[in-house]
Amino acid sequence: MDFEYLKNKKLLLVDDEPELLSMVEGILEKEGYRNIRRAENVKEALKIFQEWQPEMAVLDVMLPDGDGFGLFEKIREISDIPVLFLTARGEEEDKFLGLGLGADDYIVKPFLPRELILRIGVILRRCYKEEQPVVRLAGCTVDFERAQVIKGEEKLPLTAKEFALLSALYRNSGKIVTIDMLCQAVWGDNPYGYENSLMAHIRRIREKIEENPSKPVSLITVKGLGYKLIVKE
């Protein structure tokens, strides 16, 4: 499903290196995160935390007026927001201590920007679940919460790829979703070469959602461009 709602979550970044903070903030903003605050020490972080109430924190272990573990324990006294620790390479004890205190994850410096984005995304999706919709089509109902199609008395489960495709189509219901966009939704950053697989999955989805898969009225082909999902109001 669409995880765009997570981009509005308030993220607090705490590190004593201004250059690293700027880099991480830039990475997150480029990914679409809109609410980011930064702090360079424990005192500043606690002040921001009390005034702003972030929904996730990324904490460096080494800080000038304390450490990330102490800050984590202070945060835990008033909140159970998810926390990701930044640890130095080779400091195995930092990893174990952070996880032992109840942190959600850690990442070792230096790290790849994509790895940081993926870790933060996984944590946010796990901690902040959005209610999934039930969508009416011409010949059936799609229950995204249970990943199934309800057609009369039948309940037809969706595979992971079918679910991802229908989710991408539903997010853009009534609009053309290109073949490239659909391939990327299922196969990731390098979607090229999956057009035949996409067509096979579209065919199987139509068998589940359409009354007559040979004459689809809900999942329409837009020749040369992609597909469109027609949702009933």
Tab-separated table of all heavy atoms in Angstrom, residues 67-102:
chain	number	residue	atom	x	y	z
A	67	ASP	N	25.715	10.641	26.279
A	67	ASP	CA	25.728	9.691	25.167
A	67	ASP	C	24.303	9.353	24.763
A	67	ASP	O	23.334	9.666	25.459
A	67	ASP	CB	26.519	8.418	25.511
A	67	ASP	CG	25.946	7.668	26.701
A	67	ASP	OD1	24.721	7.463	26.744
A	67	ASP	OD2	26.733	7.280	27.590
A	68	GLY	N	24.190	8.709	23.610
A	68	GLY	CA	22.881	8.370	23.080
A	68	GLY	C	22.112	7.410	23.963
A	68	GLY	O	20.879	7.441	23.994
A	69	PHE	N	22.823	6.550	24.687
A	69	PHE	CA	22.143	5.594	25.555
A	69	PHE	C	21.427	6.300	26.708
A	69	PHE	O	20.285	5.987	27.045
A	69	PHE	CB	23.143	4.570	26.100
A	69	PHE	CG	23.863	3.819	25.013
A	69	PHE	CD1	25.237	3.665	25.058
A	69	PHE	CD2	23.174	3.271	23.941
A	69	PHE	CE1	25.907	2.981	24.073
A	69	PHE	CE2	23.838	2.580	22.932
A	69	PHE	CZ	25.214	2.432	22.998
A	70	GLY	N	22.119	7.265	27.312
A	70	GLY	CA	21.500	8.037	28.390
A	70	GLY	C	20.313	8.836	27.878
A	70	GLY	O	19.270	8.931	28.542
A	71	LEU	N	20.472	9.422	26.684
A	71	LEU	CA	19.376	10.167	26.080
A	71	LEU	C	18.202	9.238	25.792
A	71	LEU	O	17.037	9.587	26.049
A	71	LEU	CB	19.858	10.826	24.781
A	71	LEU	CG	18.809	11.551	23.941
A	71	LEU	CD1	18.104	12.636	24.749
A	71	LEU	CD2	19.466	12.147	22.689
A	72	PHE	N	18.507	8.056	25.301
A	72	PHE	CA	17.460	7.071	25.018
A	72	PHE	C	16.668	6.744	26.286
A	72	PHE	O	15.430	6.677	26.268
A	72	PHE	CB	18.095	5.803	24.452
A	72	PHE	CG	17.119	4.680	24.201
A	72	PHE	CD1	16.353	4.648	23.052
A	72	PHE	CD2	16.975	3.657	25.126
A	72	PHE	CE1	15.457	3.619	22.821
A	72	PHE	CE2	16.079	2.621	24.910
A	72	PHE	CZ	15.314	2.602	23.751
A	73	GLU	N	17.357	6.547	27.395
A	73	GLU	CA	16.676	6.210	28.637
A	73	GLU	C	15.784	7.361	29.114
A	73	GLU	O	14.686	7.137	29.634
A	73	GLU	CB	17.706	5.838	29.709
A	73	GLU	CG	18.381	4.491	29.414
A	73	GLU	CD	19.450	4.139	30.419
A	73	GLU	OE1	20.128	5.072	30.912
A	73	GLU	OE2	19.603	2.944	30.728
A	74	LYS	N	16.242	8.603	28.921
A	74	LYS	CA	15.412	9.755	29.289
A	74	LYS	C	14.167	9.826	28.403
A	74	LYS	O	13.068	10.142	28.878
A	74	LYS	CB	16.224	11.049	29.180
A	74	LYS	CG	17.266	11.232	30.268
A	74	LYS	CD	17.924	12.599	30.146
A	74	LYS	CE	18.831	12.893	31.330
A	74	LYS	NZ	20.052	12.069	31.312
A	75	ILE	N	14.351	9.544	27.108
A	75	ILE	CA	13.212	9.537	26.198
A	75	ILE	C	12.208	8.465	26.611
A	75	ILE	O	10.992	8.702	26.618
A	75	ILE	CB	13.692	9.303	24.743
A	75	ILE	CG1	14.410	10.545	24.216
A	75	ILE	CG2	12.514	8.948	23.826
A	75	ILE	CD1	15.069	10.347	22.860
A	76	ARG	N	12.727	7.300	26.991
A	76	ARG	CA	11.846	6.190	27.351
A	76	ARG	C	11.017	6.479	28.613
A	76	ARG	O	9.991	5.838	28.840
A	76	ARG	CB	12.649	4.908	27.551
A	76	ARG	CG	12.882	4.136	26.271
A	76	ARG	CD	11.559	3.562	25.720
A	76	ARG	NE	11.738	2.972	24.396
A	76	ARG	CZ	11.539	3.600	23.268
A	76	ARG	NH1	11.158	4.881	23.278
A	76	ARG	NH2	11.694	3.007	22.109
A	77	GLU	N	11.461	7.416	29.420
A	77	GLU	CA	10.685	7.776	30.610
A	77	GLU	C	9.376	8.456	30.241
A	77	GLU	O	8.413	8.442	31.014
A	77	GLU	CB	11.510	8.701	31.512
A	77	GLU	CG	12.706	8.006	32.162
A	77	GLU	CD	13.583	8.989	32.920
A	77	GLU	OE1	13.189	10.177	33.024
A	77	GLU	OE2	14.650	8.577	33.415
A	78	ILE	N	9.323	9.045	29.052
A	78	ILE	CA	8.126	9.810	28.690
A	78	ILE	C	7.512	9.383	27.358
A	78	ILE	O	6.420	9.840	27.003
A	78	ILE	CB	8.429	11.332	28.628
A	78	ILE	CG1	9.660	11.597	27.743
A	78	ILE	CG2	8.645	11.894	30.020
A	78	ILE	CD1	9.987	13.057	27.569
A	79	SER	N	8.186	8.496	26.613
A	79	SER	CA	7.660	8.129	25.298
A	79	SER	C	8.210	6.780	24.856
A	79	SER	O	9.290	6.366	25.276
A	79	SER	CB	8.039	9.196	24.261
A	79	SER	OG	7.677	8.789	22.966
A	80	ASP	N	7.452	6.113	23.984
A	80	ASP	CA	7.916	4.832	23.426
A	80	ASP	C	8.105	4.931	21.921
A	80	ASP	O	7.939	3.954	21.185
A	80	ASP	CB	6.940	3.703	23.764
A	80	ASP	CG	5.546	3.948	23.193
A	80	ASP	OD1	5.318	5.045	22.640
A	80	ASP	OD2	4.692	3.039	23.286
A	81	ILE	N	8.489	6.120	21.434
A	81	ILE	CA	8.713	6.287	19.996
A	81	ILE	C	9.853	5.370	19.535
A	81	ILE	O	10.741	5.023	20.308
A	81	ILE	CB	9.041	7.750	19.630
A	81	ILE	CG1	10.381	8.181	20.242
A	81	ILE	CG2	7.923	8.683	20.008
A	81	ILE	CD1	10.952	9.453	19.629
A	82	PRO	N	9.838	4.963	18.274
A	82	PRO	CA	10.943	4.135	17.760
A	82	PRO	C	12.243	4.924	17.686
A	82	PRO	O	12.240	6.134	17.421
A	82	PRO	CB	10.463	3.730	16.364
A	82	PRO	CG	9.446	4.752	15.988
A	82	PRO	CD	8.789	5.175	17.257
A	83	VAL	N	13.352	4.208	17.928
A	83	VAL	CA	14.678	4.835	17.952
A	83	VAL	C	15.658	3.992	17.145
A	83	VAL	O	15.708	2.766	17.286
A	83	VAL	CB	15.187	4.993	19.401
A	83	VAL	CG1	16.653	5.431	19.402
A	83	VAL	CG2	14.329	5.998	20.162
A	84	LEU	N	16.426	4.680	16.310
A	84	LEU	CA	17.511	4.061	15.541
A	84	LEU	C	18.824	4.648	16.022
A	84	LEU	O	18.971	5.872	16.071
A	84	LEU	CB	17.316	4.356	14.046
A	84	LEU	CG	18.464	4.003	13.098
A	84	LEU	CD1	18.584	2.491	12.950
A	84	LEU	CD2	18.250	4.644	11.728
A	85	PHE	N	19.780	3.798	16.387
A	85	PHE	CA	21.088	4.277	16.843
A	85	PHE	C	22.095	4.315	15.698
A	85	PHE	O	22.099	3.449	14.822
A	85	PHE	CB	21.648	3.358	17.941
A	85	PHE	CG	21.226	3.741	19.325
A	85	PHE	CD1	20.397	2.914	20.074
A	85	PHE	CD2	21.653	4.932	19.898
A	85	PHE	CE1	20.011	3.249	21.354
A	85	PHE	CE2	21.267	5.288	21.174
A	85	PHE	CZ	20.445	4.448	21.903
A	86	LEU	N	22.933	5.354	15.713
A	86	LEU	CA	24.096	5.428	14.832
A	86	LEU	C	25.312	5.009	15.654
A	86	LEU	O	25.601	5.617	16.680
A	86	LEU	CB	24.293	6.863	14.314
A	86	LEU	CG	23.128	7.503	13.560
A	86	LEU	CD1	23.490	8.931	13.176
A	86	LEU	CD2	22.775	6.700	12.324
A	87	THR	N	26.001	3.953	15.217
A	87	THR	CA	27.157	3.472	15.963
A	87	THR	C	28.404	3.518	15.091
A	87	THR	O	28.325	3.458	13.864
A	87	THR	CB	26.944	2.025	16.462
A	87	THR	OG1	26.864	1.151	15.335
A	87	THR	CG2	25.676	1.906	17.264
A	88	ALA	N	29.570	3.616	15.749
A	88	ALA	CA	30.841	3.652	15.029
A	88	ALA	C	31.225	2.251	14.580
A	88	ALA	O	30.898	1.259	15.234
A	88	ALA	CB	31.932	4.231	15.920
A	89	ARG	N	31.919	2.182	13.452
A	89	ARG	CA	32.375	0.890	12.939
A	89	ARG	C	33.277	0.189	13.952
A	89	ARG	O	34.170	0.786	14.529
A	89	ARG	CB	33.132	1.081	11.624
A	89	ARG	CG	33.555	-0.220	10.971
A	89	ARG	CD	34.276	0.015	9.656
A	89	ARG	NE	33.425	0.691	8.680
A	89	ARG	CZ	32.513	0.062	7.940
A	89	ARG	NH1	32.313	-1.234	8.099
A	89	ARG	NH2	31.803	0.730	7.069
A	90	GLY	N	32.979	-1.080	14.187
A	90	GLY	CA	33.799	-1.875	15.083
A	90	GLY	C	33.385	-1.812	16.545
A	90	GLY	O	33.908	-2.554	17.366
A	91	GLU	N	32.451	-0.936	16.892
A	91	GLU	CA	32.010	-0.834	18.287
A	91	GLU	C	30.853	-1.807	18.530
A	91	GLU	O	29.692	-1.423	18.656
A	91	GLU	CB	31.575	0.605	18.595
A	91	GLU	CG	32.675	1.637	18.452
A	91	GLU	CD	33.785	1.444	19.482
A	91	GLU	OE1	33.480	0.932	20.584
A	91	GLU	OE2	34.934	1.781	19.189
A	92	GLU	N	31.180	-3.085	18.607
A	92	GLU	CA	30.164	-4.124	18.748
A	92	GLU	C	29.329	-3.937	20.014
A	92	GLU	O	28.123	-4.166	20.019
A	92	GLU	CB	30.822	-5.512	18.767
A	92	GLU	CG	31.507	-5.892	17.468
A	92	GLU	CD	30.526	-6.079	16.333
A	92	GLU	OE1	29.365	-6.449	16.600
A	92	GLU	OE2	30.911	-5.832	15.181
A	93	GLU	N	29.973	-3.508	21.096
A	93	GLU	CA	29.253	-3.351	22.358
A	93	GLU	C	28.149	-2.308	22.251
A	93	GLU	O	27.102	-2.426	22.878
A	93	GLU	CB	30.233	-2.978	23.489
A	93	GLU	CG	31.123	-4.127	23.937
A	93	GLU	CD	30.316	-5.332	24.391
A	93	GLU	OE1	29.347	-5.153	25.154
A	93	GLU	OE2	30.635	-6.453	23.960
A	94	ASP	N	28.391	-1.256	21.443
A	94	ASP	CA	27.369	-0.227	21.262
A	94	ASP	C	26.107	-0.819	20.647
A	94	ASP	O	24.983	-0.494	21.049
A	94	ASP	CB	27.890	0.895	20.360
A	94	ASP	CG	28.878	1.794	21.086
A	94	ASP	OD1	29.009	1.652	22.318
A	94	ASP	OD2	29.509	2.632	20.428
A	95	LYS	N	26.291	-1.697	19.666
A	95	LYS	CA	25.134	-2.319	19.020
A	95	LYS	C	24.323	-3.111	20.031
A	95	LYS	O	23.101	-2.965	20.139
A	95	LYS	CB	25.585	-3.252	17.898
A	95	LYS	CG	26.445	-2.617	16.823
A	95	LYS	CD	26.926	-3.696	15.862
A	95	LYS	CE	28.024	-3.176	14.957
A	95	LYS	NZ	28.570	-4.243	14.094
A	96	PHE	N	25.032	-3.969	20.788
A	96	PHE	CA	24.337	-4.842	21.727
A	96	PHE	C	23.685	-4.046	22.849
A	96	PHE	O	22.570	-4.353	23.273
A	96	PHE	CB	25.310	-5.881	22.301
A	96	PHE	CG	25.899	-6.777	21.245
A	96	PHE	CD1	27.251	-7.080	21.243
A	96	PHE	CD2	25.107	-7.314	20.252
A	96	PHE	CE1	27.788	-7.897	20.275
A	96	PHE	CE2	25.637	-8.139	19.264
A	96	PHE	CZ	26.985	-8.440	19.280
A	97	LEU	N	24.371	-3.005	23.321
A	97	LEU	CA	23.815	-2.198	24.401
A	97	LEU	C	22.563	-1.469	23.931
A	97	LEU	O	21.542	-1.440	24.616
A	97	LEU	CB	24.853	-1.196	24.899
A	97	LEU	CG	24.421	-0.282	26.068
A	97	LEU	CD1	23.896	-1.101	27.234
A	97	LEU	CD2	25.594	0.592	26.507
A	98	GLY	N	22.629	-0.891	22.728
A	98	GLY	CA	21.474	-0.172	22.194
A	98	GLY	C	20.264	-1.067	22.028
A	98	GLY	O	19.157	-0.733	22.449
A	99	LEU	N	20.475	-2.236	21.441
A	99	LEU	CA	19.365	-3.166	21.248
A	99	LEU	C	18.887	-3.718	22.583
A	99	LEU	O	17.691	-3.944	22.796
A	99	LEU	CB	19.791	-4.311	20.329
A	99	LEU	CG	20.075	-3.908	18.872
A	99	LEU	CD1	20.620	-5.098	18.091
A	99	LEU	CD2	18.830	-3.358	18.195
A	100	GLY	N	19.820	-3.916	23.513
A	100	GLY	CA	19.456	-4.403	24.835
A	100	GLY	C	18.589	-3.418	25.605
A	100	GLY	O	17.720	-3.812	26.384
A	101	LEU	N	18.795	-2.128	25.368
A	101	LEU	CA	17.983	-1.104	26.024
A	101	LEU	C	16.585	-1.017	25.426
A	101	LEU	O	15.682	-0.450	26.040
A	101	LEU	CB	18.667	0.263	25.902
A	101	LEU	CG	19.922	0.482	26.752
A	101	LEU	CD1	20.593	1.801	26.376
A	101	LEU	CD2	19.571	0.475	28.242
A	102	GLY	N	16.421	-1.571	24.233
A	102	GLY	CA	15.101	-1.543	23.606
A	102	GLY	C	15.019	-0.715	22.340
A	102	GLY	O	13.921	-0.411	21.863
